[in-house]
Amino acid sequence: MAGTGYTDLREKLKSMMPYRDGHKGGGGGGGGSLPRDPPEPPYDRKRRHQEDSGSEPSDYEEQKEEEEARKVKSGIRQLRLFSAEECAKIEARIEDVVSRAEKGLYKEHTVDRAPLRNKYFFGEGYTYGSQLQRRGPGQERLYPRGEVDAIPEWVHDLVIRKLVEHRVIPEGFVNSAVINDYQPGGCIVSHVDPIHIFERPIVSVSFFSDSALCFGCKFQFKPIRVSEPVLFLPVKRGSVTVLR
């Protein structure tokens, strides 16, 4: 895939989806309403390829990229479910989680800290990335039961219940809830939620700000750089994204 000309991931993120300065983004649960088809990527891939490489992509390359994007889109459903008032109520609860974590009120494996992103596991937690003794897909392992805190009642009441009511998931489906708390400029590298750990669908809700999901990116580090995604998916505050 052609390079983008960016040397800093923050520059690329700003150009693709400007976030509100000073605002962070958080993830939670999900819900249901009328489905919307994910929009097409907001840039001309052929033109960008010509600018970067000086040559036109072959018909085969274009067809391959289009097929990849079609396959990704076929497994995604987006819904607008949470109102601004509901988001504000949930965001206040997330802020409370952050405050409790800073005071050391959670179990050790409930909180996972990284630059510009903190992760909070509830119900179940698992090892990944640099925590693994052996690297690679399939090596992730759940922590022993009881080593992370239980799912807070407000998550059941304000998020999961709405998912069930709108038939996004069946009653009793959720036994793990994770909050990803991103600071401005924060992100997570391309990954697949471990198939041997997670049942599908993966359901997420975006809070605090608009953001984006990018599929098919390749990362390089020191400095961090990223290729163009196969699919760029805007994610609005309060929207639900269902990944199958």
Side-chain angles (χ1 to χ4, degrees), residues 10 26 44 50 55-56 78 80 82 85 88 93 103 109 131 143 148 152 157 163 178 184 201 207-209 211 224:
R10 294 176 184 80
D44 186 332
Q50 288 176 297
S55 62
E56 291 190 11
Q78 275 195 313
R80 293 301 297 270
F82 293 86
E85 293 76 16
R93 297 285 191 164
K103 296 174 182 176
H109 294 307
Q131 303 164 352
Y143 288 118
V148 303
D157 295 339
L163 289 173
V178 179
F207 297 109
F208 290 102
S209 66
S211 58
I224 187 167

Side-chain angles (χ1 to χ4, degrees), residues 121 125-143 190-198:
F121 291 105
Y126 62 96
T127 60
Y128 67 99
S130 61
Q131 303 164 352
L132 300 177
Q133 292 182 347
R134 294 178 58 189
R135 300 294 183 89
Q139 300 302 316
E140 300 89 352
R141 294 291 182 268
L142 290 174
Y143 288 118
S190 299
H191 68 285
V192 176
D193 290 314
I195 295 174
H196 63 292
I197 290 179
F198 287 96

Side-chain angles (χ1 to χ4, degrees), residues 54-212:
S55 62
E56 291 190 11
S58 67
D59 289 343
Y60 171 77
E61 289 172 327
E62 286 189 343
Q63 291 174 1
K64 184 177 179 181
E65 289 181 353
E66 290 172 0
E67 177 64 12
E68 288 178 354
R70 186 194 64 78
K71 287 181 178 180
V72 172
K73 288 168 64 176
S74 70
I76 299 173
R77 183 186 178 199
Q78 275 195 313
L79 314 99
R80 293 301 297 270
L81 182 64
F82 293 86
S83 68
E85 293 76 16
E86 289 170 322
C87 285
K89 185 181 294 186
I90 293 168
E91 288 160 3
R93 297 285 191 164
I94 294 173
E95 295 282 18
D96 183 60
V97 169
V98 174
S99 177
R100 289 176 59 83
E102 290 174 349
K103 296 174 182 176
L105 300 179
Y106 289 122
K107 297 178 181 180
E108 177 185 357
H109 294 307
T110 294
V111 183
D112 176 57
R113 300 187 184 279
L116 298 179
R117 190 274 298 153
N118 291 331
K119 184 186 289 283
Y120 305 94
F121 291 105
F122 295 103
E124 298 284 357
Y126 62 96
T127 60
Y128 67 99
S130 61
Q131 303 164 352
L132 300 177
Q133 292 182 347
R134 294 178 58 189
R135 300 294 183 89
Q139 300 302 316
E140 300 89 352
R141 294 291 182 268
L142 290 174
Y143 288 118
R145 190 172 298 278
E147 289 201 6
V148 303
D149 288 83
I151 299 175
E153 283 302 313
W154 67 263
V155 175
H156 287 286
D157 295 339
L158 302 181
V159 181
I160 297 174
R161 181 177 297 172
K162 196 154 192 174
L163 289 173
V164 174
E165 289 175 351
H166 287 261
R167 299 183 179 180
V168 177
I169 54 173
E171 182 77 42
F173 179 80
V174 175
N175 66 355
S176 174
V178 179
I179 297 173
N180 289 298
D181 181 29
Y182 298 97
Q183 301 302 315
C187 68
I188 190 168
V189 298
S190 299
H191 68 285
V192 176
D193 290 314
I195 295 174
H196 63 292
I197 290 179
F198 287 96
E199 290 285 351
R200 265 52 177 176
I202 303 294
V203 182
S204 67
V205 183
S206 183
F207 297 109
F208 290 102
S209 66
D210 298 344
S211 58

